[in-house]
């Protein structure tokens, strides 16, 4: 199931995007997203024990974009 499909099935706030997916969907440069994470402006979650594979919650991405 893709994240976009998950949103349509009522997961809403629990849907997540990889930073690459978020960049493609929002057309915000990936470098800008990584900078915002580094600066603490955009909150991400990582799989337990992982150093890579950051995910951003849909609700957090919308908050960061100023959509909600």
């Amino acid at each position: 199931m893709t994240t976009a499909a998950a949103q349509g099935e009522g997961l809403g706030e629990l849907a997540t995007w990889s930073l690459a997916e978020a960049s493609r969907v929002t057309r915000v440069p990936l470098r800008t997203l990584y900078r915002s994470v580094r600066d603490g402006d955009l909150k991400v979650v990582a799989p337990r024990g992982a150093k890579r594979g950051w995910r951003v919650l849909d609700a957090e991405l919308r908050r960061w974009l100023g959509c909600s």
Side-chain angles (χ1 to χ4, degrees):
M1 173 185 329
T2 65
T3 53
Q7 288 178 356
E9 293 180 10
L11 293 178
E13 290 184 12
L14 299 179
T16 63
W17 303 92
S18 70
L19 291 181
E21 290 170 333
S23 176
R24 272 194 307 274
V25 169
T26 63
R27 295 189 178 184
V28 173
L30 189 56
R31 181 179 299 212
T32 300
L33 293 175
Y34 276 108
R35 186 179 310 118
S36 293
V37 170
R38 184 195 67 212
D39 293 345
D41 298 330
L42 180 62
K43 307 295 185 226
V44 294
V45 294
R48 185 173 296 243
K51 293 181 181 178
R52 299 180 62 178
W54 285 346
R55 308 290 293 181
V56 61
L57 290 172
D58 185 64
E60 173 63 8
L61 184 59
R62 290 175 185 271
R63 182 204 60 82
W64 184 80
L65 290 169
C67 295
S68 57

